[in-house]
Amino acid sequence: MISQFLEESKSKWKKLFLILTGLLFLFLIISVSLGSVSISPEGLAQYLISGTAGSDSWDMILSNFRFPKAITAILVGAALSVSGLQMQTLFRNPLAGPYVLGISSGAGLGVAIAIFLGFYFGGILDMSGIGRSWLLVVAAAIGSGMVLGIISLAATKIKDSVTLLIIGLMFGAASGALVSILQFFSQAENIQAYVIWSFGSLGSLSWNELSIFIPIIFIGLISSILLSKPLNALLLGENYAISLGVNIKKNRLLIILNTAVLAGTVTAFCGPIAFFGIALPHLTRMLFNTTNHLLLTPLVMIFGATLMLIFDTIAQLPGMEATLPINSVTALFGAPFVIYLLIRKRNLNYTY
Amino acid sequence: MSGLLETKSLTIGYSQSAGTKILQQDLSLSIAKGETISLMGQNGVGKSTFIKTISGLIPALGGEVFIQNQKISALSKNEMARSMSVVLTEKPYAQNLTVLELIAIGRHPYSGWMGTLNQKDLEVIEWAINETHINYLANHKIFELSDGQLQKVMIARALAQETDLIILDEPAAHLDLYNKIEVMMLLRKIADQGKGVLISTHDLQVSTQLSDKLWLFNFNEEVKIGTPEDLILDGSLEKTLYLEGYGYDMMYGTVENSRKPKGNISVAGPDKEKFWTIQALKRNGFLVKNKADVQIDIRNEKWYILQKSGENVCNSISELLDLLKISYQNLK
């Protein structure tokens, strides 16, 4: 009876995963064909088969802009969703997200220091595109890495997970304050450069940067899948998890490291992309009605990647020259959907 | 004797920055296979601390805990999880798991890196579900379950962990009589299969009717060990539960009314009716004696009150009580 039931649910989930993966590819195709210049389906097919779409400008657009951007969107979507999920389960808090431990604030502080101090040392604004983007990446990575280090140290000392959460929030507040002070003393163009960074952007990565971005995110995603089992035990509460043989301190440190590396890398390369990491785990749980992390972890990755592609396609404003900031698009289109689902389900707790 | 669990001069308590607080010391206790033991004592006497200490959640302040002749400090977390499972009073945090998924988490110490279940795991899960009679729930979500159903599911999860020792904290709390009896029978059956069952409880029914032995924790006193009946007869149980002041009736498991008795009454009739009539009379402050001025005779489900002034007939205990109250008021 049990094995039969398990077989049925296994085939049901297999089907769902196949459909979702299919959707991901469909939206990948749509995403790379739409934009200020539309690329015809035949051209795209030709490009995928023979490596050229039949026109130099199309080739250039596809290989230098559209594909890097689409790959970035997929990885960012998967990374932020899965780190949000892990933080929500670890802290047993529906408001937790990838940035709850202060990762993005740390990155923001690093970038702010780079931009505002860079002005005094010859001016970051004068630097050429590549040098400048790498400087920002390094600054953000140092900032988030420092927060990560302090939080991990605290995680080995502190027993209670909620205390860690509060320490993370305090970090966010403190670095926010430092950024404000830096802004107060700087000039308009520096503030503008910082504000533009804080909008988030999926389109600033070239293959050069992707060669670092892809492997780091990939390792993070695989570790996330391996961490699903202890996360499942944590669903019963910490005491039950311990009685099941879970080493809480070790696993908590691993989970924090993993999400921090994922969220930190995303922030370093794409800026702080808010909303997505908090909302997407909720969306996934509500839509697919499961809390089992063995299913939920791959689900949020695929679903998050697909949704980020869709948001990115919307942000490109097909047929127009301009691109909207990705942060505004995710919140603008995502929030009403989450609200709708919440009202329909009435109680968030039942989705946990 | 093969002890599933043994403590040797164990001292339990908390060490805080302000100093250590010792709750119990010199505990030398053991659980054998097939034994059900109830741990009783007042709030704050160290029952939970004891359970946390033997399950390795908090360190012992002195002495040693042995699981199957091995020190727990020498066992890995996984080895501990394979030899001891717990059912706590806290509800699982996640409510949207299915019963089957929750029980499957019980296989955590055995399953592989990815939590995949092999044929053996599935068999054990199916066995745990059958033992606890929750087949009809397998597909339900946790938030749909009643307290009694959830308790059985949590016991099934502990069974799926395949441990020789199962520790339960207040398994009968919040359960109605029917579910309590069901859980008790289930625990009895588990113990009969050769497992050790340790229950921390305040429930007299659970402790006296289910367990082979009681461990009574008292403040500043040695722990008392014995069969429930011995401990009732020598007054230890009464003392542990501090019921003396309330005139606890160990025979009937009821609390004597401390009010001044209204009068003496004798009761005669079939056992069942007699039992419940006496209960009602005691609750209302009458003393029940073998011989008294007022007699109650129960015949054909009618209550006859015989006193000097005459005879009255009542159809129910509530009528009887009303009548008695009136006649005693008149006497004053």
Side-chain angles (χ1 to χ4, degrees):
Chain A
M1 169 232 150
I2 299 299
S3 357
Q4 187 200 344
F5 172 73
L6 281 176
E7 278 305 313
E8 275 169 25
S9 79
K10 211 186 246 173
S11 70
K12 187 188 101 188
W13 286 110
K14 248 184 208 158
K15 239 182 251 166
L16 182 67
F17 274 110
L18 276 179
I19 292 171
L20 279 176
T21 318
L23 275 178
L24 177 62
F25 277 104
L26 179 71
F27 280 106
L28 174 65
I29 303 279
I30 292 174
S31 168
V32 291
S33 358
L34 294 180
S36 52
V37 175
S38 317
I39 286 163
S40 70
E42 299 88 49
L44 186 63
Q46 219 177 345
Y47 175 81
L48 288 174
I49 296 163
S50 60
T52 170
S55 120
D56 281 349
S57 64
W58 278 10
D59 285 356
M60 218 252 306
I61 289 172
L62 281 175
S63 63
N64 287 354
F65 298 103
R66 297 276 170 87
F67 270 104
K69 198 177 182 199
I71 290 169
T72 310
I74 288 173
L75 292 178
V76 166
L80 289 182
S81 318
V82 84
S83 23
L85 171 72
Q86 294 193 334
M87 289 290 107
Q88 286 174 6
T89 304
L90 180 68
F91 292 117
R92 269 162 285 150
N93 190 329
L95 290 176
Y99 297 139
V100 77
L101 293 176
I103 299 295
S104 73
S105 320
L109 183 60
V111 167
I113 291 173
I115 292 178
F116 300 133
L117 287 190
F119 175 75
Y120 292 102
F121 301 111
I124 179 179
L125 295 172
D126 304 332
M127 284 172 79
S128 69
I130 295 168
R132 186 174 149 184
S133 80
W134 273 114
L135 180 68
L136 290 189
V137 165
V138 171
I142 291 174
S144 54
M146 270 168 55
V147 173
L148 161 67
I150 295 167
I151 292 284
S152 312
L153 200 69
T156 56
K157 301 257 185 247
I158 291 169
K159 264 189 183 171
D160 178 31
S161 295
V162 178
T163 313
L164 269 183
L165 191 67
I166 295 169
I167 291 177
L169 288 174
M170 291 302 115
F171 260 113
S175 21
L178 281 174
V179 171
S180 300
I181 292 172
L182 283 172
Q183 281 180 325
F184 184 75
F185 287 109
S186 49
Q187 293 179 344
E189 54 263 44
N190 287 334
I191 296 177
Q192 197 194 10
Y194 179 77
V195 169
I196 286 175
W197 175 82
S198 71
F199 280 159
S201 153
L202 298 173
S204 52
L205 276 75
S206 66
W207 285 111
N208 198 356
E209 283 136 347
L210 277 176
S211 65
I212 292 177
F213 187 70
I214 292 174
I216 296 179
I217 298 291
F218 215 69
I219 291 169
L221 293 180
I222 289 171
S223 336
S224 310
I225 288 177
L226 294 177
L227 284 168
S228 306
K229 192 186 157 189
L231 278 169
N232 248 3
L234 273 171
L235 285 176
L236 302 185
E238 286 195 3
N239 281 335
Y240 273 119
I242 293 169
S243 86
L244 283 163
V246 174
N247 187 337
I248 291 281
K249 268 194 175 173
K250 187 185 106 193
N251 279 293
R252 191 172 60 186
L253 188 63
L254 284 176
I255 291 166
I256 288 173
L257 274 173
N258 184 49
T259 50
V261 166
L262 282 174
T265 312
V266 167
T267 314
F269 283 92
C270 307
I273 296 176
F275 174 81
F276 205 76
I278 298 177
L280 204 109
H282 291 304
L283 264 181
T284 317
R285 273 190 290 254
M286 282 190 276
L287 281 177
F288 304 110
N289 198 20
T290 182
T291 327
N292 186 349
H293 281 68
L294 301 174
L295 297 167
L296 205 48
T297 307
L299 268 180
V300 291
M301 286 182 193
I302 301 177
F303 189 56
T306 314
L307 218 60
M308 191 54 104
L309 263 180
I310 296 174
F311 284 142
D312 181 47
T313 315
I314 296 173
Q316 283 170 16
L317 292 171
M320 288 167 83
E321 287 296 320
T323 307
L324 290 177
I326 189 70
N327 253 341
S328 330
V329 178
T330 49
L332 202 60
F333 290 87
F337 192 40
V338 174
I339 292 170
Y340 163 74
L341 278 177
L342 277 178
I343 290 171
R344 221 190 59 184
K345 291 256 174 181
R346 291 214 172 86
N347 189 346
L348 184 69
N349 283 337
Y350 285 166
T351 66
Y352 257 80
Chain B
M1 191 184 83
S2 69
L4 288 178
L5 177 101
E6 242 182 310
T7 67
K8 283 189 184 148
S9 356
L10 180 70
T11 304
I12 57 166
Y14 286 98
S15 51
Q16 299 158 324
S17 47
T20 48
K21 186 173 190 285
I22 291 174
L23 290 170
Q24 294 286 332
Q25 48 193 351
D26 207 24
L27 297 171
S28 291
L29 303 163
S30 77
I31 304 176
K33 286 193 172 183
E35 244 181 0
T36 306
I37 288 173
S38 284
L39 175 57
M40 297 188 86
Q42 289 179 46
N43 292 335
V45 79
K47 297 192 301 291
S48 300
T49 311
F50 178 74
I51 287 180
K52 280 184 194 164
T53 310
I54 59 171
S55 49
L57 291 181
I58 55 172
L61 296 184
E64 275 292 348
V65 181
F66 294 85
I67 291 178
Q68 290 168 19
N69 299 325
Q70 277 185 293
K71 281 187 190 180
I72 60 164
S73 48
L75 291 172
S76 74
K77 291 209 165 16
N78 199 292
E79 284 170 320
M80 284 282 283
R82 285 172 187 232
S83 47
M84 183 193 290
S85 55
V86 292
V87 176
L88 304 168
T89 43
E90 60 193 70
K91 287 189 169 186
Y93 153 70
Q95 297 278 303
N96 201 28
L97 286 170
T98 65
V99 167
L100 200 57
E101 281 169 331
L102 183 120
I103 296 172
I105 294 177
R107 297 301 292 168
H108 188 280
Y110 304 91
S111 58
W113 262 94
M114 288 293 301
T116 40
L117 302 170
N118 61 26
Q119 196 54 40
K120 166 94 201 304
D121 293 323
L122 293 179
E123 277 164 21
V124 174
I125 291 169
E126 182 141 21
W127 165 78
I129 288 176
N130 286 333
E131 284 296 296
T132 44
H133 304 295
I134 50 167
N135 302 57
Y136 69 106
L137 291 174
N139 232 336
H140 287 227
K141 296 279 189 179
I142 300 301
F143 66 81
E144 298 170 334
L145 305 181
S146 72
D147 284 344
Q149 289 170 333
L150 179 64
Q151 192 62 271
K152 278 184 274 180
V153 169
M154 294 314 280
I155 292 174
R157 189 208 59 84
L159 282 181
Q161 214 174 319
E162 273 196 305
T163 57
D164 284 337
L165 181 62
I166 299 180
I167 299 172
L168 303 101
D169 197 4
E170 287 288 346
H174 315 301
L175 297 190
D176 61 19
L177 189 63
Y178 174 81
N179 280 294
K180 190 157 90 180
I181 290 171
E182 224 185 347
V183 167
M184 275 164 57
M185 298 309 289
L186 175 61
L187 293 176
R188 188 72 256 179
K189 199 167 86 179
I190 293 168
D192 287 342
Q193 290 169 357
K195 290 180 188 288
V197 178
L198 176 63
I199 303 164
S200 148
T201 185
H202 291 290
D203 193 306
L204 268 180
Q205 242 175 335
V206 172
S207 56
T208 55
Q209 291 174 27
L210 173 69
S211 17
D212 301 306
K213 260 191 216 165
L214 300 185
W215 293 348
L216 303 180
F217 278 19
N218 286 310
F219 291 104
N220 306 317
E221 246 181 72
E222 234 182 281
V223 59
K224 288 245 162 46
I225 307 166
T227 55
E229 293 74 17
D230 281 338
L231 293 174
I232 289 172
L233 287 177
D234 74 4
S236 307
L237 185 60
E238 221 167 325
K239 203 174 148 223
T240 300
L241 303 177
Y242 261 110
L243 294 164
E244 287 165 309
Y246 296 104
Y248 194 86
D249 186 337
M250 274 303 181
M251 289 272 283
Y252 290 114
T254 54
V255 177
E256 294 273 359
N257 212 312
S258 56
R259 280 177 285 178
K260 204 171 157 238
K262 286 178 181 152
N264 300 341
I265 294 178
S266 72
V267 182
D271 283 347
K272 201 163 135 196
E273 282 82 357
K274 187 178 161 189
F275 176 84
W276 290 110
T277 308
I278 291 174
Q279 289 264 348
L281 290 172
K282 281 181 172 174
R283 187 177 68 243
N284 284 279
F286 296 101
L287 268 184
V288 180
K289 302 219 157 149
N290 289 335
K291 265 193 170 177
D293 296 340
V294 182
Q295 291 171 31
I296 293 170
D297 206 5
I298 311 165
R299 277 172 275 139
N300 306 324
E301 292 176 28
K302 287 206 190 316
W303 284 260
Y304 296 89
I305 308 178
L306 311 168
Q307 37 189 336
K308 278 173 202 155
S309 52
E311 192 182 304
N312 296 71
V313 189
C314 307
N315 290 314
S316 67
I317 292 181
S318 104
E319 264 181 47
L320 173 79
L321 291 174
D322 287 343
L323 227 116
L324 284 173
K325 273 178 203 161
I326 292 166
S327 64
Y328 273 90
Q329 253 162 20
N330 289 345
L331 278 179
K332 284 173 192 169

